[in-house]
Amino acid sequence: MSSPSPAIKALVDDLNIKRKAAYTRKAQETNSTVEQFASTSGCDLIMRTSADEKYQTPGDSWNSSHSSDPVRDSRCP
């Protein structure tokens, strides 16, 4: 696997900074930690994946959503 170009790395870094800022705001609004809010958001997003949309499992493999429930972290509600 090749390394991403500097432009792609910059886009990913920018997205991650914006995501962290949004999670920080939302965590404060819900009286939770950033980690708790991020984990809950991840659980919710995986449950909303569309058919054949890819998601990363707790074991770091990539799966496609199908009619069965997606593989989620055991800490998900």
Side-chain angles (χ1 to χ4, degrees):
M1 181 179 221
S2 63
S3 297
S5 69
I8 296 296
K9 184 167 177 5
L11 285 171
V12 170
D13 289 345
D14 183 59
L15 178 64
N16 286 335
I17 289 167
K18 289 175 180 174
R19 180 183 299 116
K20 176 91 182 227
Y23 282 7
T24 299
R25 282 191 305 278
K26 294 290 188 177
Q28 290 171 345
E29 292 172 11
T30 59
N31 294 318
S32 61
T33 67
V34 174
E35 292 78 14
Q36 289 168 327
F37 186 83
S39 178
T40 300
S41 294
C43 292
D44 293 343
L45 289 169
I46 287 172
M47 287 305 294
R48 294 192 331 229
T49 54
S50 303
D52 294 323
E53 189 174 12
K54 298 285 187 186
Y55 68 94
Q56 193 169 11
T57 69
D60 288 333
S61 63
W62 288 90
N63 283 4
S64 294
S65 287
H66 300 291
S67 59
S68 61
D69 286 338
V71 177
R72 298 187 313 151
D73 190 285
S74 61
R75 296 168 290 183
C76 289

